[in-house]
Amino acid sequence: MVEEKYLRVASYARNLNKEIDMIAHSCGCRHARELKREHVRIVQTANQSIALNMLYPYPVIGSRSVSKRVATAAGVAA
């Protein structure tokens, strides 16, 4: 019933958080918010995997391209 939908959504959210916490613990993190790109591997062709931080490296702090992207996203002319 529609009246009980909020209960199903709440149950789904609780179970999803529980599963994400289990993944975090298996990666050696105490909390899911500690997960970083280094913890994720993407399986590519021929069953080769690559770490997410190698595929999508973190932006270099202070580089002009990052500053320009941030300013553009914020609606400020760089």
Side-chain angles (χ1 to χ4, degrees):
M1 297 292 190
V2 174
E3 297 84 20
E4 299 167 355
K5 188 170 186 176
Y6 75 96
L7 295 172
R8 292 190 309 238
V9 171
S11 175
Y12 173 80
R14 259 192 317 275
N15 288 328
L16 183 64
N17 282 331
K18 192 184 302 183
E19 297 295 329
I20 291 172
D21 282 339
M22 189 180 302
I23 292 169
H25 289 300
S26 70
C27 291
C29 300
R30 292 179 59 201
H31 303 285
R33 64 182 167 265
E34 295 175 358
L35 287 171
K36 303 288 185 226
R37 293 180 191 182
E38 295 83 28
H39 296 108
V40 178
R41 296 196 65 86
I42 303 295
V43 178
Q44 296 185 320
T45 58
N47 289 333
Q48 293 182 345
S49 68
I50 184 169
L52 190 62
N53 64 327
M54 300 302 284
L55 197 56
Y56 298 104
Y58 290 105
V60 178
I61 303 299
S63 73
R64 175 120 173 101
S65 61
V66 171
S67 301
K68 189 173 183 177
R69 266 197 316 252
V70 170
T72 303
V76 178

